[in-house]
Amino acid sequence: MFFHKQELQYKASPAKPDAIFARRLQEVLGGQYGEITVAMQYGFQAWSCHIPGKYRDLLYGIGAEEFGHVEMLAIMIAQLLEKAPVEQSEAAAAADPVLGAGVRPVDSNGNPWQGSYITASGNLLADFTANANAEMQGRVQVARIYNMTDDDGVRDLLSFLLARDTMHQNQWIRAAQELREEGVEDLPVPSNFPLARERRDVAYEYINFSDGVAAAEGSWASGSTPDGKGEFTYLDGPETAVPMPPPTTPDPRFYGTDGKPNIVDKAEGAIKDKLTEK
């Protein structure tokens, strides 16, 4: 059940209209790592969470906060568009013709927000790790946009959102850590898949597929692995190779080009059609 309270978590009032910056701000609202994405992501993760208690409550609580951030940004963008100078409005409209209609669920290029941005697997360690990434990518974008304006009102809101992104990054990293400490989930994800069913001899090999050699210096190329179940090794290129299978042969009725003469494909297609009819 959702209730809407007509007040904001933080101020969202620009010092002056700016239609061009409003378009830029659409990215942190409706872009891949915008507020709509994280709000929906945390919501769907909560709805598919299989255990009651603190982890599901965490998802519900932060998801609700992110919907509030959607509203703050939407109201800010609407105000930036209000009474904007004609030349600004024309420039913005040239890049996104329907921007004049007001704030929308799109990114800064006018691409509609889409549900494929959401990660909600049902595995909490995988999802919490994805959430930390979403907050990092979102904070990168907000920090960049912060430097694209000198509007004190906009910067005030962005400074608040930056701080909340800081909290959420730390929160998801700690929550992922707590999942492992409590034995709820572990690396490698999914931890319940039997390790005996994977090729363990290649599970911890860093295989260099580049002519660069510096990757061998990283801690991912030697030493103990984060899952505590092995030791990293380094290979300067793959040690295995198998012949390429022959090209596939499509059903001639799909009209893919193959190595047979066209007259043969045509005849095979006709025969298959006859067999199908029977």
Side-chain angles (χ1 to χ4, degrees):
M1 184 180 295
F2 287 88
F3 292 91
H4 181 260
K5 191 170 185 178
Q6 295 191 29
E7 59 184 48
L8 302 180
Q9 184 185 10
Y10 195 77
K11 295 173 290 182
S13 298
K16 58 184 181 299
D18 189 337
I20 296 174
F21 188 76
R23 177 170 174 258
R24 293 173 180 167
L25 203 57
Q26 282 282 166
E27 188 66 32
V28 296
L29 174 66
Q32 181 177 359
Y33 297 107
E35 298 288 358
I36 296 176
T37 295
V38 289
M40 296 295 287
Q41 179 159 305
Y42 303 162
F44 275 94
Q45 288 178 6
W47 298 322
S48 62
C49 185
H50 306 297
I51 54 175
K54 62 183 177 182
Y55 295 116
R56 188 171 67 167
D57 287 358
L58 170 65
L59 287 163
Y60 274 127
I62 304 306
E65 179 183 359
E66 299 292 7
F67 274 110
H69 294 179
V70 169
E71 185 168 52
M72 285 189 290
L73 281 169
I75 288 175
M76 175 65 80
I77 291 170
Q79 291 179 90
L80 286 167
L81 292 170
E82 184 183 23
K83 299 178 181 177
V86 174
E87 61 274 11
Q88 282 191 356
S89 299
E90 289 177 347
D96 184 359
V98 294
L99 187 63
V103 61
R104 296 186 299 132
V106 301
D107 64 17
S108 58
N109 291 315
N111 300 309
W113 181 86
Q114 51 188 315
S116 60
Y117 296 156
I118 290 176
T119 298
S121 69
N123 183 291
L124 292 184
L125 185 52
D127 285 350
F128 288 0
T129 303
N131 294 350
N133 172 68
E135 295 288 349
M136 292 174 189
Q137 296 288 353
R139 192 169 188 275
V140 166
Q141 293 180 340
V142 174
R144 288 172 175 166
I145 289 176
Y146 182 94
N147 290 317
M148 295 179 186
T149 182
D150 58 1
D151 188 303
D152 291 337
V154 174
R155 281 192 162 190
D156 187 34
L157 172 60
L158 296 182
S159 70
F160 175 81
L161 294 176
L162 286 164
R164 295 309 296 159
D165 286 344
T166 295
M167 169 56 191
H168 295 162
Q169 285 184 36
N170 282 282
Q171 156 200 297
W172 293 124
I173 291 170
R174 182 52 59 83
Q177 178 185 348
E178 196 161 318
L179 282 169
R180 296 187 65 195
E181 291 172 348
E182 294 180 346
V184 178
E185 188 56 82
D186 202 0
L187 296 175
V189 175
S191 58
N192 287 339
F193 185 83
L195 294 181
R197 294 183 183 177
E198 68 175 45
R199 280 285 306 272
R200 293 294 290 166
D201 58 317
V202 298
Y204 302 112
E205 289 181 346
Y206 179 87
I207 305 174
N208 187 21
F209 280 84
S210 169
D211 59 5
V213 296
E217 302 167 6
S219 59
W220 54 82
S222 64
S224 60
T225 58
D227 63 12
K229 297 177 175 66
E231 294 284 321
F232 286 123
T233 57
Y234 176 86
L235 294 179
D236 191 18
E239 294 183 337
T240 58
V242 295
M244 179 69 72
T248 56
T249 302
D251 187 314
R253 292 169 297 177
F254 293 138
Y255 309 110
T257 303
D258 57 31
K260 294 178 292 185
N262 283 348
I263 190 170
V264 175
D265 277 337
K266 186 175 181 179
E268 286 185 1
I271 292 170
K272 289 188 175 186
D273 281 340
K274 288 293 184 182
L275 292 174
T276 301
E277 290 173 3
K278 295 178 181 180

